[in-house]
PDB file of all heavy atoms in Angstrom:
ATOM      1  N   VAL O   5      61.984 104.019   3.561  1.00  0.00           N
ATOM      2  CA  VAL O   5      61.696 102.921   2.656  1.00  0.00           C
ATOM      3  C   VAL O   5      60.498 102.133   3.161  1.00  0.00           C
ATOM      4  O   VAL O   5      60.410 101.802   4.346  1.00  0.00           O
ATOM      5  CB  VAL O   5      62.932 102.011   2.525  1.00  0.00           C
ATOM      6  CG1 VAL O   5      62.612 100.763   1.726  1.00  0.00           C
ATOM      7  CG2 VAL O   5      64.068 102.778   1.881  1.00  0.00           C
ATOM      8  N   ASP O   6      59.575 101.842   2.278  1.00  0.00           N
ATOM      9  CA  ASP O   6      58.423 101.001   2.561  1.00  0.00           C
ATOM     10  C   ASP O   6      58.921  99.560   2.577  1.00  0.00           C
ATOM     11  O   ASP O   6      59.294  99.010   1.538  1.00  0.00           O
ATOM     12  CB  ASP O   6      57.364 101.224   1.480  1.00  0.00           C
ATOM     13  CG  ASP O   6      56.155 100.349   1.614  1.00  0.00           C
ATOM     14  OD1 ASP O   6      56.184  99.350   2.369  1.00  0.00           O
ATOM     15  OD2 ASP O   6      55.153 100.656   0.946  1.00  0.00           O
ATOM     16  N   LEU O   7      58.960  98.937   3.748  1.00  0.00           N
ATOM     17  CA  LEU O   7      59.529  97.600   3.877  1.00  0.00           C
ATOM     18  C   LEU O   7      58.751  96.560   3.082  1.00  0.00           C
ATOM     19  O   LEU O   7      59.336  95.637   2.524  1.00  0.00           O
ATOM     20  CB  LEU O   7      59.615  97.202   5.344  1.00  0.00           C
ATOM     21  CG  LEU O   7      60.583  98.024   6.187  1.00  0.00           C
ATOM     22  CD1 LEU O   7      60.560  97.543   7.633  1.00  0.00           C
ATOM     23  CD2 LEU O   7      61.986  97.976   5.622  1.00  0.00           C
ATOM     24  N   SER O   8      57.447  96.705   3.003  1.00  0.00           N
ATOM     25  CA  SER O   8      56.641  95.772   2.228  1.00  0.00           C
ATOM     26  C   SER O   8      57.002  95.866   0.747  1.00  0.00           C
ATOM     27  O   SER O   8      57.157  94.850   0.059  1.00  0.00           O
ATOM     28  CB  SER O   8      55.155  96.070   2.441  1.00  0.00           C
ATOM     29  OG  SER O   8      54.366  95.231   1.640  1.00  0.00           O
ATOM     30  N   ARG O   9      57.166  97.073   0.257  1.00  0.00           N
ATOM     31  CA  ARG O   9      57.543  97.285  -1.143  1.00  0.00           C
ATOM     32  C   ARG O   9      58.951  96.751  -1.398  1.00  0.00           C
ATOM     33  O   ARG O   9      59.216  96.109  -2.414  1.00  0.00           O
ATOM     34  CB  ARG O   9      57.448  98.785  -1.479  1.00  0.00           C
ATOM     35  CG  ARG O   9      57.921  99.134  -2.859  1.00  0.00           C
ATOM     36  CD  ARG O   9      56.987  98.603  -3.933  1.00  0.00           C
ATOM     37  NE  ARG O   9      57.470  99.024  -5.244  1.00  0.00           N
ATOM     38  CZ  ARG O   9      57.513  98.250  -6.309  1.00  0.00           C
ATOM     39  NH1 ARG O   9      57.054  97.024  -6.249  1.00  0.00           N
ATOM     40  NH2 ARG O   9      57.981  98.695  -7.441  1.00  0.00           N
ATOM     41  N   ALA O  10      59.860  97.018  -0.460  1.00  0.00           N
ATOM     42  CA  ALA O  10      61.227  96.523  -0.601  1.00  0.00           C
ATOM     43  C   ALA O  10      61.232  94.997  -0.665  1.00  0.00           C
ATOM     44  O   ALA O  10      61.928  94.409  -1.495  1.00  0.00           O
ATOM     45  CB  ALA O  10      62.101  97.018   0.545  1.00  0.00           C
ATOM     46  N   ALA O  11      60.439  94.348   0.187  1.00  0.00           N
ATOM     47  CA  ALA O  11      60.361  92.886   0.182  1.00  0.00           C
ATOM     48  C   ALA O  11      59.842  92.379  -1.160  1.00  0.00           C
ATOM     49  O   ALA O  11      60.345  91.376  -1.700  1.00  0.00           O
ATOM     50  CB  ALA O  11      59.479  92.397   1.323  1.00  0.00           C
ATOM     51  N   GLN O  12      58.859  93.064  -1.722  1.00  0.00           N
ATOM     52  CA  GLN O  12      58.317  92.675  -3.022  1.00  0.00           C
ATOM     53  C   GLN O  12      59.388  92.773  -4.112  1.00  0.00           C
ATOM     54  O   GLN O  12      59.538  91.870  -4.941  1.00  0.00           O
ATOM     55  CB  GLN O  12      57.120  93.548  -3.375  1.00  0.00           C
ATOM     56  CG  GLN O  12      56.460  93.186  -4.687  1.00  0.00           C
ATOM     57  CD  GLN O  12      55.341  94.147  -5.063  1.00  0.00           C
ATOM     58  OE1 GLN O  12      55.408  95.338  -4.780  1.00  0.00           O
ATOM     59  NE2 GLN O  12      54.310  93.613  -5.695  1.00  0.00           N
ATOM     60  N   LEU O  13      60.139  93.856  -4.100  1.00  0.00           N
ATOM     61  CA  LEU O  13      61.202  94.044  -5.095  1.00  0.00           C
ATOM     62  C   LEU O  13      62.301  92.999  -4.933  1.00  0.00           C
ATOM     63  O   LEU O  13      62.725  92.375  -5.910  1.00  0.00           O
ATOM     64  CB  LEU O  13      61.788  95.450  -4.984  1.00  0.00           C
ATOM     65  CG  LEU O  13      60.884  96.585  -5.447  1.00  0.00           C
ATOM     66  CD1 LEU O  13      61.446  97.931  -4.997  1.00  0.00           C
ATOM     67  CD2 LEU O  13      60.698  96.549  -6.953  1.00  0.00           C
ATOM     68  N   PHE O  14      62.755  92.792  -3.699  1.00  0.00           N
ATOM     69  CA  PHE O  14      63.829  91.831  -3.469  1.00  0.00           C
ATOM     70  C   PHE O  14      63.371  90.411  -3.791  1.00  0.00           C
ATOM     71  O   PHE O  14      64.139  89.608  -4.321  1.00  0.00           O
ATOM     72  CB  PHE O  14      64.368  91.921  -2.046  1.00  0.00           C
ATOM     73  CG  PHE O  14      65.164  93.175  -1.793  1.00  0.00           C
ATOM     74  CD1 PHE O  14      64.865  93.998  -0.723  1.00  0.00           C
ATOM     75  CD2 PHE O  14      66.217  93.539  -2.617  1.00  0.00           C
ATOM     76  CE1 PHE O  14      65.595  95.143  -0.478  1.00  0.00           C
ATOM     77  CE2 PHE O  14      66.960  94.688  -2.392  1.00  0.00           C
ATOM     78  CZ  PHE O  14      66.644  95.495  -1.317  1.00  0.00           C
ATOM     79  N   HIS O  15      62.117  90.083  -3.478  1.00  0.00           N
ATOM     80  CA  HIS O  15      61.582  88.765  -3.825  1.00  0.00           C
ATOM     81  C   HIS O  15      61.621  88.556  -5.341  1.00  0.00           C
ATOM     82  O   HIS O  15      62.010  87.485  -5.819  1.00  0.00           O
ATOM     83  CB  HIS O  15      60.154  88.585  -3.315  1.00  0.00           C
ATOM     84  CG  HIS O  15      59.486  87.381  -3.906  1.00  0.00           C
ATOM     85  ND1 HIS O  15      59.807  86.092  -3.536  1.00  0.00           N
ATOM     86  CD2 HIS O  15      58.553  87.268  -4.876  1.00  0.00           C
ATOM     87  CE1 HIS O  15      59.092  85.240  -4.255  1.00  0.00           C
ATOM     88  NE2 HIS O  15      58.320  85.930  -5.066  1.00  0.00           N
ATOM     89  N   ALA O  16      61.223  89.578  -6.081  1.00  0.00           N
ATOM     90  CA  ALA O  16      61.206  89.463  -7.539  1.00  0.00           C
ATOM     91  C   ALA O  16      62.602  89.205  -8.092  1.00  0.00           C
ATOM     92  O   ALA O  16      62.750  88.580  -9.144  1.00  0.00           O
ATOM     93  CB  ALA O  16      60.606  90.723  -8.164  1.00  0.00           C
ATOM     94  N   LEU O  17      63.626  89.640  -7.389  1.00  0.00           N
ATOM     95  CA  LEU O  17      65.003  89.450  -7.843  1.00  0.00           C
ATOM     96  C   LEU O  17      65.655  88.198  -7.271  1.00  0.00           C
ATOM     97  O   LEU O  17      66.817  87.925  -7.552  1.00  0.00           O
ATOM     98  CB  LEU O  17      65.848  90.666  -7.456  1.00  0.00           C
ATOM     99  CG  LEU O  17      65.445  91.979  -8.116  1.00  0.00           C
ATOM    100  CD1 LEU O  17      66.323  93.102  -7.604  1.00  0.00           C
ATOM    101  CD2 LEU O  17      65.508  91.879  -9.617  1.00  0.00           C
ATOM    102  N   SER O  18      64.907  87.429  -6.498  1.00  0.00           N
ATOM    103  CA  SER O  18      65.503  86.296  -5.786  1.00  0.00           C
ATOM    104  C   SER O  18      65.549  85.017  -6.607  1.00  0.00           C
ATOM    105  O   SER O  18      65.717  83.933  -6.052  1.00  0.00           O
ATOM    106  CB  SER O  18      64.739  86.045  -4.483  1.00  0.00           C
ATOM    107  OG  SER O  18      63.428  85.559  -4.762  1.00  0.00           O
ATOM    108  N   ASP O  19      65.414  85.129  -7.902  1.00  0.00           N
ATOM    109  CA  ASP O  19      65.417  83.956  -8.755  1.00  0.00           C
ATOM    110  C   ASP O  19      66.341  84.197  -9.946  1.00  0.00           C
ATOM    111  O   ASP O  19      66.304  85.262 -10.570  1.00  0.00           O
ATOM    112  CB  ASP O  19      63.996  83.661  -9.244  1.00  0.00           C
ATOM    113  CG  ASP O  19      63.941  82.429 -10.111  1.00  0.00           C
ATOM    114  OD1 ASP O  19      63.756  81.334  -9.558  1.00  0.00           O
ATOM    115  OD2 ASP O  19      64.106  82.571 -11.340  1.00  0.00           O
ATOM    116  N   GLU O  20      67.159  83.205 -10.259  1.00  0.00           N
ATOM    117  CA  GLU O  20      68.132  83.336 -11.340  1.00  0.00           C
ATOM    118  C   GLU O  20      67.468  83.580 -12.701  1.00  0.00           C
ATOM    119  O   GLU O  20      67.971  84.360 -13.515  1.00  0.00           O
ATOM    120  CB  GLU O  20      68.992  82.081 -11.395  1.00  0.00           C
ATOM    121  CG  GLU O  20      70.179  82.195 -12.307  1.00  0.00           C
ATOM    122  CD  GLU O  20      71.087  80.982 -12.209  1.00  0.00           C
ATOM    123  OE1 GLU O  20      71.062  80.272 -11.200  1.00  0.00           O
ATOM    124  OE2 GLU O  20      71.832  80.759 -13.181  1.00  0.00           O
ATOM    125  N   THR O  21      66.331  82.947 -12.941  1.00  0.00           N
ATOM    126  CA  THR O  21      65.636  83.155 -14.218  1.00  0.00           C
ATOM    127  C   THR O  21      65.148  84.587 -14.337  1.00  0.00           C
ATOM    128  O   THR O  21      65.291  85.221 -15.387  1.00  0.00           O
ATOM    129  CB  THR O  21      64.443  82.173 -14.358  1.00  0.00           C
ATOM    130  OG1 THR O  21      64.949  80.840 -14.341  1.00  0.00           O
ATOM    131  CG2 THR O  21      63.676  82.416 -15.647  1.00  0.00           C
ATOM    132  N   ARG O  22      64.597  85.136 -13.254  1.00  0.00           N
ATOM    133  CA  ARG O  22      64.109  86.520 -13.300  1.00  0.00           C
ATOM    134  C   ARG O  22      65.268  87.496 -13.484  1.00  0.00           C
ATOM    135  O   ARG O  22      65.147  88.489 -14.208  1.00  0.00           O
ATOM    136  CB  ARG O  22      63.270  86.826 -12.065  1.00  0.00           C
ATOM    137  CG  ARG O  22      61.975  86.019 -12.065  1.00  0.00           C
ATOM    138  CD  ARG O  22      60.995  86.479 -11.029  1.00  0.00           C
ATOM    139  NE  ARG O  22      61.321  86.163  -9.666  1.00  0.00           N
ATOM    140  CZ  ARG O  22      60.946  85.066  -9.010  1.00  0.00           C
ATOM    141  NH1 ARG O  22      60.240  84.135  -9.621  1.00  0.00           N
ATOM    142  NH2 ARG O  22      61.266  84.884  -7.753  1.00  0.00           N
ATOM    143  N   LEU O  23      66.391  87.213 -12.844  1.00  0.00           N
ATOM    144  CA  LEU O  23      67.574  88.060 -13.065  1.00  0.00           C
ATOM    145  C   LEU O  23      68.040  87.954 -14.515  1.00  0.00           C
ATOM    146  O   LEU O  23      68.440  88.950 -15.116  1.00  0.00           O
ATOM    147  CB  LEU O  23      68.701  87.664 -12.112  1.00  0.00           C
ATOM    148  CG  LEU O  23      68.484  88.024 -10.644  1.00  0.00           C
ATOM    149  CD1 LEU O  23      69.568  87.389  -9.773  1.00  0.00           C
ATOM    150  CD2 LEU O  23      68.434  89.530 -10.455  1.00  0.00           C
ATOM    151  N   GLY O  24      67.957  86.768 -15.080  1.00  0.00           N
ATOM    152  CA  GLY O  24      68.317  86.581 -16.484  1.00  0.00           C
ATOM    153  C   GLY O  24      67.409  87.368 -17.409  1.00  0.00           C
ATOM    154  O   GLY O  24      67.862  87.950 -18.399  1.00  0.00           O
ATOM    155  N   ILE O  25      66.120  87.392 -17.085  1.00  0.00           N
ATOM    156  CA  ILE O  25      65.165  88.180 -17.885  1.00  0.00           C
ATOM    157  C   ILE O  25      65.540  89.655 -17.843  1.00  0.00           C
ATOM    158  O   ILE O  25      65.600  90.319 -18.875  1.00  0.00           O
ATOM    159  CB  ILE O  25      63.726  87.960 -17.384  1.00  0.00           C
ATOM    160  CG1 ILE O  25      63.265  86.529 -17.684  1.00  0.00           C
ATOM    161  CG2 ILE O  25      62.773  88.976 -18.003  1.00  0.00           C
ATOM    162  CD1 ILE O  25      61.980  86.128 -16.969  1.00  0.00           C
ATOM    163  N   LEU O  26      65.816  90.159 -16.640  1.00  0.00           N
ATOM    164  CA  LEU O  26      66.194  91.572 -16.523  1.00  0.00           C
ATOM    165  C   LEU O  26      67.496  91.857 -17.265  1.00  0.00           C
ATOM    166  O   LEU O  26      67.629  92.902 -17.912  1.00  0.00           O
ATOM    167  CB  LEU O  26      66.309  91.975 -15.051  1.00  0.00           C
ATOM    168  CG  LEU O  26      64.990  92.035 -14.287  1.00  0.00           C
ATOM    169  CD1 LEU O  26      65.247  92.319 -12.818  1.00  0.00           C
ATOM    170  CD2 LEU O  26      64.051  93.059 -14.893  1.00  0.00           C
ATOM    171  N   GLU O  27      68.434  90.937 -17.198  1.00  0.00           N
ATOM    172  CA  GLU O  27      69.695  91.113 -17.927  1.00  0.00           C
ATOM    173  C   GLU O  27      69.419  91.232 -19.425  1.00  0.00           C
ATOM    174  O   GLU O  27      69.994  92.081 -20.102  1.00  0.00           O
ATOM    175  CB  GLU O  27      70.637  89.930 -17.645  1.00  0.00           C
ATOM    176  CG  GLU O  27      71.943  89.991 -18.402  1.00  0.00           C
ATOM    177  CD  GLU O  27      72.832  91.153 -18.008  1.00  0.00           C
ATOM    178  OE1 GLU O  27      72.772  91.611 -16.852  1.00  0.00           O
ATOM    179  OE2 GLU O  27      73.590  91.612 -18.880  1.00  0.00           O
ATOM    180  N   MET O  28      68.529  90.397 -19.934  1.00  0.00           N
ATOM    181  CA  MET O  28      68.198  90.451 -21.353  1.00  0.00           C
ATOM    182  C   MET O  28      67.488  91.750 -21.725  1.00  0.00           C
ATOM    183  O   MET O  28      67.656  92.264 -22.827  1.00  0.00           O
ATOM    184  CB  MET O  28      67.318  89.261 -21.735  1.00  0.00           C
ATOM    185  CG  MET O  28      68.068  87.937 -21.696  1.00  0.00           C
ATOM    186  SD  MET O  28      66.978  86.534 -21.969  1.00  0.00           S
ATOM    187  CE  MET O  28      66.397  86.874 -23.614  1.00  0.00           C
ATOM    188  N   LEU O  29      66.716  92.290 -20.797  1.00  0.00           N
ATOM    189  CA  LEU O  29      65.951  93.510 -21.075  1.00  0.00           C
ATOM    190  C   LEU O  29      66.788  94.778 -20.917  1.00  0.00           C
ATOM    191  O   LEU O  29      66.321  95.864 -21.272  1.00  0.00           O
ATOM    192  CB  LEU O  29      64.712  93.577 -20.176  1.00  0.00           C
ATOM    193  CG  LEU O  29      63.675  92.478 -20.408  1.00  0.00           C
ATOM    194  CD1 LEU O  29      62.537  92.607 -19.397  1.00  0.00           C
ATOM    195  CD2 LEU O  29      63.140  92.508 -21.833  1.00  0.00           C
ATOM    196  N   ARG O  30      67.996  94.648 -20.396  1.00  0.00           N
ATOM    197  CA  ARG O  30      68.862  95.826 -20.238  1.00  0.00           C
ATOM    198  C   ARG O  30      69.096  96.540 -21.558  1.00  0.00           C
ATOM    199  O   ARG O  30      69.237  97.759 -21.595  1.00  0.00           O
ATOM    200  CB  ARG O  30      70.212  95.431 -19.639  1.00  0.00           C
ATOM    201  CG  ARG O  30      70.147  95.103 -18.173  1.00  0.00           C
ATOM    202  CD  ARG O  30      71.503  94.749 -17.611  1.00  0.00           C
ATOM    203  NE  ARG O  30      72.425  95.853 -17.808  1.00  0.00           N
ATOM    204  CZ  ARG O  30      73.737  95.708 -17.975  1.00  0.00           C
ATOM    205  NH1 ARG O  30      74.272  94.519 -17.995  1.00  0.00           N
ATOM    206  NH2 ARG O  30      74.500  96.758 -18.131  1.00  0.00           N
ATOM    207  N   SER O  31      69.149  95.781 -22.642  1.00  0.00           N
ATOM    208  CA  SER O  31      69.431  96.386 -23.940  1.00  0.00           C
ATOM    209  C   SER O  31      68.178  96.949 -24.601  1.00  0.00           C
ATOM    210  O   SER O  31      68.260  97.530 -25.679  1.00  0.00           O
ATOM    211  CB  SER O  31      70.093  95.364 -24.865  1.00  0.00           C
ATOM    212  OG  SER O  31      69.234  94.254 -25.062  1.00  0.00           O
ATOM    213  N   GLY O  32      67.027  96.786 -23.961  1.00  0.00           N
ATOM    214  CA  GLY O  32      65.792  97.339 -24.502  1.00  0.00           C
ATOM    215  C   GLY O  32      64.673  96.314 -24.542  1.00  0.00           C
ATOM    216  O   GLY O  32      64.825  95.175 -24.117  1.00  0.00           O
ATOM    217  N   GLU O  33      63.570  96.751 -25.065  1.00  0.00           N
ATOM    218  CA  GLU O  33      62.357  95.938 -25.143  1.00  0.00           C
ATOM    219  C   GLU O  33      62.612  94.653 -25.929  1.00  0.00           C
ATOM    220  O   GLU O  33      63.310  94.659 -26.936  1.00  0.00           O
ATOM    221  CB  GLU O  33      61.273  96.773 -25.824  1.00  0.00           C
ATOM    222  CG  GLU O  33      59.936  96.119 -25.905  1.00  0.00           C
ATOM    223  CD  GLU O  33      58.916  97.033 -26.557  1.00  0.00           C
ATOM    224  OE1 GLU O  33      58.972  97.180 -27.796  1.00  0.00           O
ATOM    225  OE2 GLU O  33      58.097  97.591 -25.827  1.00  0.00           O
ATOM    226  N   ARG O  34      62.022  93.554 -25.439  1.00  0.00           N
ATOM    227  CA  ARG O  34      62.173  92.257 -26.109  1.00  0.00           C
ATOM    228  C   ARG O  34      60.828  91.559 -26.208  1.00  0.00           C
ATOM    229  O   ARG O  34      60.001  91.632 -25.294  1.00  0.00           O
ATOM    230  CB  ARG O  34      63.119  91.344 -25.330  1.00  0.00           C
ATOM    231  CG  ARG O  34      64.518  91.853 -25.118  1.00  0.00           C
ATOM    232  CD  ARG O  34      65.409  91.772 -26.340  1.00  0.00           C
ATOM    233  NE  ARG O  34      65.671  90.426 -26.778  1.00  0.00           N
ATOM    234  CZ  ARG O  34      66.723  89.707 -26.423  1.00  0.00           C
ATOM    235  NH1 ARG O  34      67.633  90.221 -25.612  1.00  0.00           N
ATOM    236  NH2 ARG O  34      66.890  88.492 -26.902  1.00  0.00           N
ATOM    237  N   CYS O  35      60.638  90.837 -27.288  1.00  0.00           N
ATOM    238  CA  CYS O  35      59.449  90.025 -27.490  1.00  0.00           C
ATOM    239  C   CYS O  35      59.538  88.802 -26.571  1.00  0.00           C
ATOM    240  O   CYS O  35      60.620  88.253 -26.355  1.00  0.00           O
ATOM    241  CB  CYS O  35      59.367  89.581 -28.950  1.00  0.00           C
ATOM    242  SG  CYS O  35      57.971  88.489 -29.286  1.00  0.00           S
ATOM    243  N   VAL O  36      58.403  88.389 -26.057  1.00  0.00           N
ATOM    244  CA  VAL O  36      58.391  87.238 -25.169  1.00  0.00           C
ATOM    245  C   VAL O  36      58.931  85.994 -25.869  1.00  0.00           C
ATOM    246  O   VAL O  36      59.571  85.145 -25.241  1.00  0.00           O
ATOM    247  CB  VAL O  36      56.979  87.012 -24.563  1.00  0.00           C
ATOM    248  CG1 VAL O  36      56.012  86.491 -25.603  1.00  0.00           C
ATOM    249  CG2 VAL O  36      57.037  86.086 -23.373  1.00  0.00           C
ATOM    250  N   CYS O  37      58.727  85.882 -27.164  1.00  0.00           N
ATOM    251  CA  CYS O  37      59.252  84.717 -27.894  1.00  0.00           C
ATOM    252  C   CYS O  37      60.778  84.715 -27.887  1.00  0.00           C
ATOM    253  O   CYS O  37      61.407  83.653 -27.798  1.00  0.00           O
ATOM    254  CB  CYS O  37      58.699  84.655 -29.313  1.00  0.00           C
ATOM    255  SG  CYS O  37      59.129  86.058 -30.338  1.00  0.00           S
ATOM    256  N   ASP O  38      61.403  85.896 -27.950  1.00  0.00           N
ATOM    257  CA  ASP O  38      62.866  85.991 -27.869  1.00  0.00           C
ATOM    258  C   ASP O  38      63.366  85.590 -26.486  1.00  0.00           C
ATOM    259  O   ASP O  38      64.375  84.893 -26.352  1.00  0.00           O
ATOM    260  CB  ASP O  38      63.348  87.403 -28.186  1.00  0.00           C
ATOM    261  CG  ASP O  38      63.116  87.806 -29.626  1.00  0.00           C
ATOM    262  OD1 ASP O  38      63.047  86.912 -30.499  1.00  0.00           O
ATOM    263  OD2 ASP O  38      62.990  89.021 -29.873  1.00  0.00           O
TER     264      ASP O  38
END
């Protein structure tokens, strides 16, 4: 595992809003306005 890449990925997931965005995108593509 590339530790720098892993840190980048984990950092991106370290925020509740970003996790919420990913949760919303689980069902497919979404418009930014949605």
